[in-house]
Amino acid sequence: MNKATLALKIAEHLDIPKKNAEDMIAAFQDIVISALKRDEEVTIAGFGTFSSRVRAARKGVNPRKPTEIIDVPAVKVPKFKAGKRLKDELKTSTPQV
């Protein structure tokens, strides 16, 4: 499911215009991104927790020149931890092959 489809589903579920649903998604994204930049967590009970962490600097190998060692700098990355309800709902669903 992509962003447009999600907006359509929200609009149908809440019986609101699709434009309002798109605005809600954009606002959600902006709020979560701003919080993560400030090293805050965003927790949605039952769904999950968005957080950020720092991936430490390390040595790596240049894929174009396998003999060349490069320094990979530390970087802040997003992290998502699924909540209990989300995990339970997925456990009880039938897997599609």
Side-chain angles (χ1 to χ4, degrees), residues 29-89:
Q29 288 176 316
D30 292 343
I31 291 166
V32 170
I33 290 168
S34 295
L36 296 181
K37 283 182 175 180
R38 293 188 307 269
D39 293 327
E40 297 175 2
E41 287 187 349
V42 177
T43 301
I44 302 171
F47 184 72
T49 302
F50 297 90
S51 61
S52 62
R53 66 179 189 87
V54 175
R55 185 179 298 149
R58 60 189 168 84
K59 299 287 185 188
V61 177
N62 182 345
R64 292 183 186 217
K65 298 179 185 175
T67 58
E68 182 182 345
I69 302 297
I70 57 173
D71 289 323
V72 179
V75 65
K76 190 184 288 191
V77 295
K79 181 181 174 188
F80 177 77
K81 181 180 178 193
K84 183 174 179 357
R85 179 177 172 213
L86 177 58
K87 289 179 185 177
D88 291 346
E89 291 285 334

Side-chain angles (χ1 to χ4, degrees), residues 19-32:
K19 176 67 174 130
N20 289 5
E22 290 170 346
D23 292 344
M24 291 169 58
I25 293 170
F28 176 77
Q29 288 176 316
D30 292 343
I31 291 166
V32 170

